[in-house]
Amino acid sequence: MRLNQLLLRNFRSYADCEVEFTDRVNLIVGENAQGKTTLLEAIYFLSTAKSHRTYPDNELIRHHESWFYLKGKIAATDDLMTVEASNELSGKKRFKFNGIIQKKLSQWIGQFNVVFFSPESLTLVKGSPADRRRFIDLLISQINSAYLNSLQNYQFALKQRNELLKQIRSKQASPDFLDPWDDILTAEGISIIRTRVRIFDQLKTYVQAKHAELTGNREILELKYQPSPEKIDGAMEQEATELFRRGLQSSRSYDILRGMTSVGPHRDDFKLILEAQEAKAFGSQGQQRTIALALKLGELELIRETTGKTPIVLLDDVFSELDEERSSFLFSLLGRLNAQTFITSTRQEAWVPELGDCRVFTVHDGQVN
């Protein structure tokens, strides 16, 4: 999969910009705050319908303007695709695939896939469980539209249940009203957890292999998924249903007191263990960055294996805080990646000629040359 051309209008610092890219490595060079990361952000938005760093989407609109528009021309095997995204200050968003409006997010996600590593990716190691859940949810949504539908149903039911818990706490509703929402949470929750665990087991193999490459086999990384409630992933259907319902019932008084649901896949997490210690607490900056990179590169291999298509790779400030040895391992791995890659840097790296088919772009004040 290759992005041949990108058009940006009123997107952050870009008033009107059109860029054509090479099939292999695209190095985007410029000083800080000139628009390098914004190019990658635009590509990511076309793939996922969201920014990797900002919410709400209105913040993506150029200052003093009322809308933005993005368009990408993509080659996938023998097919040529056009993807378009627009957003207005009013909140109206529109996505088109080959000129046809996509009415549901599930129709859009997975049209073309990207893997994005940025400084924000360190939250996969250092951040909250919500950051890691977001990673696994987006990964699965790119390869399984049914999962996204199930996730949206679950999130809707969860929101309704939490609102009802607050009403019960203030004596405005009966606890009996929770039962229908518990039914939905149980059915969708079990489906979500089972899918997550299955995909995570596949992902784990790729991540560990990439981590070994990035460290020269000198460090051992373990990944452990922690579902809520525990033990549900290995249970038979009836037993899983009973476990989930029991968890919701046993925590009901506590949930009413807090006005929040404390059991379910919205509480899942996964642990990253490096040399028998949790990387979040004990890993160095370089080690944490390497693990985040391994997660992203493992994501790439899983998507490629599952869909038969190679995602576009976006690497923002990838070499910062990696020592010379880790940078060398990463450089070697990139040479074997066989994917269209976009890399941002504040300078033209000395290794550029070694990458072969590499095109260098210079960015200054929202202009690309």
Side-chain angles (χ1 to χ4, degrees):
M1 191 166 287
R2 303 179 305 280
L3 176 65
N4 294 335
Q5 189 179 78
L6 176 66
L7 172 66
L8 307 90
R9 287 182 180 154
N10 294 335
F11 189 81
R12 288 203 186 270
S13 59
Y14 289 88
D16 192 351
C17 178
E18 188 170 345
V19 195
E20 293 186 0
F21 300 110
T22 185
D23 290 352
R24 282 285 292 116
V25 179
N26 298 273
L27 178 64
I28 302 166
V29 179
E31 298 297 326
N32 292 328
Q34 298 302 305
K36 303 187 305 296
T37 299
T38 298
L39 283 178
L40 273 56
E41 184 178 28
I43 299 170
Y44 185 81
F45 192 93
L46 280 172
S47 173
T48 65
K50 63 179 68 177
S51 166
H52 72 291
R53 59 182 179 179
T54 298
Y55 188 85
D57 294 335
N58 284 352
E59 294 183 21
L60 303 174
I61 299 174
R62 181 176 167 84
H63 194 46
H64 296 313
E65 299 292 346
S66 61
W67 55 273
F68 75 71
Y69 172 77
L70 300 171
K71 181 178 181 179
K73 294 183 178 180
I74 299 155
T77 316
D78 296 327
D79 297 328
L80 292 175
M81 306 185 301
T82 300
V83 290
E84 300 168 79
S86 62
N87 185 62
E88 301 175 7
L89 279 176
S90 63
K92 184 178 181 181
K93 296 171 69 171
R94 181 174 293 170
F95 298 93
K96 290 183 179 180
F97 179 72
N98 288 340
I100 300 173
I101 293 177
Q102 308 294 287
K103 296 182 179 180
K104 296 181 179 179
L105 188 61
S106 58
Q107 291 178 305
W108 182 260
I109 302 296
Q111 299 282 14
F112 85 99
N113 299 317
V114 302
V115 170
F116 194 174
F117 175 87
S118 71
E120 289 81 2
S121 299
L122 285 174
T123 59
L124 292 176
V125 184
K126 300 167 64 174
S128 68
D131 295 312
R132 288 179 284 277
R133 287 194 299 272
R134 203 157 28 242
F135 165 73
I136 199 73
D137 284 340
L138 181 57
L139 165 58
I140 300 174
S141 295
Q142 290 188 82
I143 60 179
N144 185 339
S145 60
Y147 177 82
L148 181 56
N149 287 328
S150 187
L151 188 64
Q152 289 172 329
N153 292 339
Y154 180 88
Q155 290 171 340
F156 176 78
L158 179 64
K159 181 179 179 181
Q160 297 302 313
R161 188 181 195 268
N162 287 342
E163 287 298 320
L164 183 55
L165 288 169
K166 296 180 178 70
Q167 293 174 19
I168 295 169
R169 184 178 59 189
S170 60
K171 311 298 183 183
Q172 295 178 326
S174 166
D176 293 339
F177 293 162
L178 290 170
D179 292 341
W181 297 116
D182 286 1
D183 291 342
I184 298 174
L185 290 183
T186 298
E188 300 289 5
I190 290 172
S191 174
I192 289 167
I193 291 172
R194 289 192 187 282
T195 304
R196 280 182 183 170
V197 171
R198 176 173 56 82
I199 297 298
F200 187 82
D201 284 344
Q202 298 174 30
L203 175 68
K204 179 167 61 176
T205 302
Y206 292 117
V207 172
Q208 289 174 320
K210 293 301 178 185
H211 186 265
E213 287 187 69
L214 291 169
T215 61
N217 291 301
R218 295 179 185 176
E219 296 175 1
I220 298 175
L221 177 66
E222 296 179 67
L223 298 88
K224 297 180 179 179
Y225 200 86
Q226 298 180 313
S228 172
E230 296 180 358
K231 300 179 180 179
I232 195 170
D233 54 308
M236 299 296 288
E237 193 66 32
Q238 184 174 348
E239 183 185 359
T241 300
E242 291 173 359
L243 280 170
F244 206 114
R245 285 187 177 280
R246 196 181 308 141
L248 289 171
Q249 285 289 338
S250 62
S251 65
R252 182 171 282 194
S253 297
Y254 179 66
D255 289 354
I256 292 171
L257 184 65
R258 295 175 67 241
M260 294 178 62
T261 303
S262 56
V263 173
H266 63 286
R267 308 287 293 179
D268 287 5
D269 195 7
F270 61 85
K271 297 295 184 183
L272 299 160
I273 311 297
L274 189 64
E275 306 297 331
Q277 293 183 308
E278 191 171 355
K280 178 177 182 177
F282 298 99
S284 69
Q285 281 288 96
Q287 287 175 322
Q288 291 174 343
R289 201 175 186 86
T290 302
I291 292 170
L293 265 168
L295 283 165
K296 291 293 185 175
L297 294 171
E299 176 188 9
L300 180 148
E301 296 300 342
L302 177 59
I303 293 174
R304 175 152 50 191
E305 177 66 26
T306 304
T307 67
K309 299 177 182 178
T310 301
I312 294 167
V313 179
L314 310 175
L315 303 174
D316 186 27
D317 194 26
V318 69
F319 288 99
S320 124
E321 297 189 28
L322 292 181
D323 58 32
E324 186 175 342
E325 185 176 46
R326 289 177 190 269
S327 295
S328 176
F329 287 138
L330 175 57
F331 174 67
S332 175
L333 192 154
L334 290 177
R336 303 189 303 274
L337 207 53
N338 192 28
Q340 186 185 30
T341 307
F342 295 78
I343 306 173
T344 66
S345 177
T346 54
R347 64 187 186 278
Q348 184 166 329
E349 305 287 354
W351 41 256
V352 167
E354 301 179 38
L355 288 176
D357 183 11
C358 176
R359 183 174 178 185
V360 180
F361 299 86
T362 302
V363 177
H364 178 72
D365 194 24
Q367 297 294 321
V368 182
N369 298 304

